[in-house]
């Protein structure tokens, strides 16, 4: 389902990124605020060049996207590990719950293997119960819990 994004996909991806960003702005107004371009076009084009942004389409219409990062973990006392991180993933709001996200995750798993990664990771806000449940159904498990203290 996923294909490498093209520059011509920019406007559709921008619109979807606003949908996701607005959810975050509602959950965490202490961090996020609404904006028209949470995924800047320059960053989008850079991610295309590095083969890290993919889109899902139906009849040539972008209905979802995913932004990926590859990280090499290696340090004192840890085993080396190449990880793929889902930085952002979105399915068109009106099409959620139809298996599109599950298919996208399956394609990301294939990309993970193609890039030689051993782990697929992502972050999710705990307020996003639907996403937490979805990711668990896809096989993700909670690995760490980040905490913060406002000063």
């Amino acid at each position: 389902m996923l294909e490498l994004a093209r520059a011509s996909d920019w406007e559709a991806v921008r619109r979807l990124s606003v949908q996701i960003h607005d959810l975050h702005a509602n959950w965490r107004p202490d961090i996020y605020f609404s904006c028209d371009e949470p995924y800047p076009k320059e960053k989008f084009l850079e991610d295309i060049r590095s083969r890290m942004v993919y889109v899902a389409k139906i009849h040539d219409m972008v209905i979802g996207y995913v932004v990926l990062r590859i990280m090499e973990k290696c340090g004192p006392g840890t085993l080396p590990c190449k990880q793929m991180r889902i930085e952002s993933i979105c399915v068109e709001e009106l099409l959620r719950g139809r298996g599109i996200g599950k298919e996208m995750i399956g394609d990301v798993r294939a990309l993970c293997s193609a890039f030689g990664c051993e782990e697929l990771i992502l972050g999710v806000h705990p307020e996003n119960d639907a996403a937490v449940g979805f990711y668990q159904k896809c096989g993700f498990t909670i690995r760490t819990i980040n905490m913060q203290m406002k000063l």
Side-chain angles (χ1 to χ4, degrees), residues 6 16 22 26 55 92 125:
R6 293 177 281 183
L16 291 172
D22 283 349
N26 286 332
V55 293
E92 169 64 52
H125 283 278

Side-chain angles (χ1 to χ4, degrees), residues 24-95:
H24 290 91
N26 286 332
W27 292 319
R28 294 298 308 267
D30 58 319
I31 298 173
Y32 304 100
F33 58 89
S34 292
C35 65
D36 292 333
E37 197 173 291
Y39 184 22
K41 187 172 186 177
E42 303 78 36
K43 183 68 176 144
F44 173 75
L45 296 173
E46 178 184 316
D47 287 343
I48 290 173
R49 286 189 294 276
S50 61
R51 305 184 61 79
M52 289 291 113
V53 60
Y54 294 81
V55 293
K57 293 182 177 181
I58 294 179
H59 306 297
D60 289 329
M61 186 172 80
V62 174
I63 58 158
Y65 78 94
V66 62
V67 180
L68 307 169
R69 296 283 169 257
I70 295 178
M71 303 176 298
E72 303 262 351
K73 297 285 186 173
C74 183
T78 63
L79 297 171
C81 180
K82 188 174 182 182
Q83 299 174 324
M84 179 172 281
R85 177 177 177 81
I86 296 175
E87 290 288 325
S88 180
I89 186 168
C90 178
V91 172
E92 169 64 52
E93 188 174 26
L94 297 174
L95 298 175

